[in-house]
Amino acid sequence: MIGLQWGDEAKGKLVDLLAPEHDCVVRYQGGANAGHTVVSGDQVYKLHHLPSGILHPQVMNFVTPGVVIEPTTLIRELDGLASRGVEPRTNLMISERSHMVMPWHLLEDQAMNAMAVQGEAIGTTLRGIGPCYRDKVGRNFAFRTTDLRASDLHARIAEIVESKRDLLRGMNQPSLAAQLDVGAITDAAALWAQHLVPMVGDTTNRLLNELDDGKRLLMEGAQGALLDIDHGTYPFVTSSNSSGVGICAGSGIPPRWIKRVIGVAKAYSTRVGGGPFPTELNSEIGQRIRDIGREYGTTTGRPRRCGWFDSVAVRYTARLSGVDALALMMMDVLGHFDEVNICVAYEIDGQLIRDFPCDASVIRRAKPVYETLQGWNCDVTGARELADLPPPAHAFLARIGELVEVPVEIVSVGPDRCQTIFVDKAALLDY
Ligand code: IMP
């Protein structure tokens, strides 16, 4: 399941809903920058690292090598669930290959956050994601979950801290450098080891065995494809492959096992942080979408930028991710407008463009070309089947399917599990 916009498409709700139809749920990229909200009855769960199948004790949940783990947040998440009667430690396995977001990564993220790139700050979630992936690729200063078992933990941490202090001082951040205390980090790491090592193992081998045994896996993407490090609106992206192309590298599962790809998009667009956003509405309509959709970041609480649905961007990410079914979320939020717009093309430097451009500075110049449709202007939160939706909502869904070139197979009309309409659930899950 892949987000097709800039994240926050409500994937968590769908993964939780479809988890019981699977044996395993797998988180394979990103880290605590993700914020997946799952609503179960009157309970709201906000998950960052944990796969959204964690509320189902019969489903095994995996955090695989492509995920970066911030241990303090993860332990808080585990304890938080346990205090609410969900025991996540029994159905969770974490890869020993996963890299860890260490205290120096959080400080580096903080130090770099104010710096602009192409005249604008990336505006990260400050969860240390970029610095951790940078060290993973750089190798010398990387720290993986398997390192928690090392006998020379103190020496390893001391070696890295020395270099990181120099780095932070070089960035003119002496007070951040001074926060790195080898003893305190080593003590903390010993505590993380106590909590986490019992769940750490070889997820790659285990998942390949599950597949050989005919088990059904649900792969849970984090963020959205437009934030993909290689294929998104670079440099205003996250540091992992958040489009469909990231599934195999992040999980260790080869492509031949991927049988169905569900792409998730909102009926409008949102984005947090910097970067181009062609259909952004800096207007009263944008504010209404934000208020009605409660568009504030799950991880950071930041107000999300809001705009109309962009079929140029979503067609691109759906193709890139090999999507065969679309899930269109938040149809209830758009039910408050007389008219709704869909972006069908961009006008860039006087030319009409249907293919999503590579370059952020070009995307920044794109003027959206809109098609205006009649709004449904009514409360659809009680709809439970397609026939319950009014004709203008049907016309909107059909037009999106046409423009994105993928049929809409799931429609969401509210946060609860029951507020989800499947066109043909049995056919969708027949793989
Ligand atoms: P980072 O992933 O914290 O480095 O942030 C890089 C960019 O991705 C920023 O613009 C963030 O706001 C955005 N981002 C990261 N994770 C999410 C997410 O889960 N939802 C929405 N935006 C995200």
Side-chain angles (χ1 to χ4, degrees):
M1 183 155 329
I2 306 292
L4 298 180
Q5 296 160 315
W6 284 285
D8 309 317
E9 298 93 351
K11 300 175 289 295
K13 162 182 160 161
L14 288 185
V15 173
D16 166 66
L17 187 66
L18 296 181
E21 320 277 346
H22 297 81
D23 301 291
C24 309
V25 174
V26 182
R27 256 296 299 274
Y28 56 85
Q29 44 74 224
N33 50 350
H36 292 169
T37 305
V38 176
V39 179
S40 172
D42 60 352
Q43 296 289 308
V44 179
Y45 299 90
K46 291 191 188 298
L47 307 173
H48 295 288
H49 298 90
L50 294 176
S52 302
I54 201 75
L55 301 183
H56 304 274
Q58 78 284 15
V59 175
M60 189 63 200
N61 289 267
F62 293 86
V63 174
T64 62
V67 176
V68 293
I69 292 171
E70 203 280 287
T72 310
T73 309
L74 174 57
I75 293 165
R76 201 180 309 128
E77 227 173 304
L78 293 166
D79 289 346
L81 282 186
S83 72
R84 294 167 76 180
V86 180
E87 189 30 87
R89 288 171 174 88
T90 52
N91 58 333
L92 177 66
M93 185 177 185
I94 299 169
S95 173
E96 56 200 1
R97 294 183 171 95
S98 292
H99 284 247
M100 291 184 64
V101 176
M102 297 296 278
W104 46 84
H105 294 135
L106 297 171
L107 299 177
E108 279 176 62
D109 212 1
Q110 211 176 314
M112 297 213 58
N113 195 43
M115 294 181 189
V117 49
Q118 294 185 6
E120 191 178 0
I122 293 173
T124 76
T125 58
L126 293 176
R127 297 304 182 118
I129 302 296
C132 180
Y133 279 114
R134 193 158 57 225
D135 278 341
K136 167 178 170 169
V137 177
R139 292 153 294 161
N140 297 52
F141 302 129
F143 198 101
R144 301 195 297 173
T145 54
T146 189
D147 296 326
L148 287 174
R149 303 166 172 145
S151 52
D152 60 344
L153 211 52
H154 184 273
R156 176 79 182 129
I157 288 172
E159 178 188 47
I160 301 177
V161 162
E162 197 182 317
S163 302
K164 293 295 180 179
R165 280 206 197 111
D166 286 347
L167 176 80
L168 288 165
R169 284 193 208 104
M171 293 167 84
N172 207 17
Q173 299 283 354
S175 59
L176 294 184
Q179 287 181 36
L180 289 175
D181 180 301
V182 176
I185 298 172
T186 310
D187 290 349
L191 199 73
W192 303 332
Q194 253 177 43
H195 279 275
L196 302 181
V197 165
M199 288 171 284
V200 168
D202 184 352
T203 58
T204 308
N205 194 37
R206 168 81 184 263
L207 284 170
L208 292 171
N209 288 340
E210 298 282 354
L211 286 164
D212 285 342
D213 291 346
K215 298 284 170 52
R216 286 163 64 86
L217 271 52
L218 176 56
M219 315 302 291
E220 178 179 20
Q223 290 84 47
L226 293 169
L227 290 173
D228 187 289
I229 182 74
D230 291 307
H231 306 284
T233 51
Y234 193 89
F236 302 99
V237 292
T238 190
S239 305
S240 63
N241 284 114
S242 50
S243 71
V245 305
I247 297 174
C248 300
S251 65
I253 292 170
R256 75 185 176 98
W257 291 106
I258 298 176
K259 304 291 186 225
R260 182 84 78 246
V261 183
I262 299 176
V264 189
K266 288 180 189 173
Y268 48 91
S269 309
T270 64
R271 168 160 215 176
V272 272
F277 181 0
T279 62
E280 182 169 17
L281 292 164
N282 288 310
S283 64
E284 185 256 340
I285 297 179
Q287 186 58 44
R288 275 178 68 201
I289 294 177
R290 183 174 308 115
D291 290 341
I292 300 166
R294 291 182 295 279
E295 292 294 354
Y296 295 88
T298 314
T299 302
T300 60
R302 290 180 289 180
R304 295 182 185 137
R305 302 157 65 191
C306 298
W308 294 118
F309 187 87
D310 183 344
S311 75
V312 178
V314 175
R315 175 174 165 270
Y316 164 63
T317 52
R319 292 177 79 196
L320 172 70
S321 301
V323 167
D324 19 48
L326 263 189
L328 208 69
M329 314 302 281
M330 316 290 250
M331 278 292 281
D332 52 314
V333 176
L334 274 204
H336 293 259
F337 298 88
D338 294 331
E339 289 182 337
V340 290
N341 282 340
I342 302 176
C343 170
V344 296
Y346 297 152
E347 193 204 307
I348 303 176
D349 304 334
Q351 283 197 317
L352 213 58
I353 304 287
R354 275 280 288 152
D355 290 323
F356 195 69
C358 292
D359 191 328
S361 64
V362 176
I363 304 169
R364 217 182 276 287
R365 295 204 298 279
K367 293 192 193 95
V369 177
Y370 286 122
E371 200 169 285
T372 302
L373 278 71
Q374 189 190 338
W376 38 108
N377 212 353
C378 65
D379 181 1
V380 293
T381 55
R384 295 293 174 268
E385 41 190 287
L386 280 180
D388 298 335
L389 293 173
H394 280 274
F396 181 82
L397 295 173
R399 189 65 183 129
I400 291 214
E402 258 169 37
L403 288 164
V404 177
E405 297 172 15
V406 179
V408 177
E409 298 283 351
I410 303 174
V411 181
S412 175
V413 293
D416 205 86
R417 286 172 179 156
C418 68
Q419 292 173 302
T420 316
I421 301 168
F422 287 88
V423 173
D424 185 344
K425 188 172 179 185
L428 183 68
L429 296 181
D430 182 19
Y431 49 83

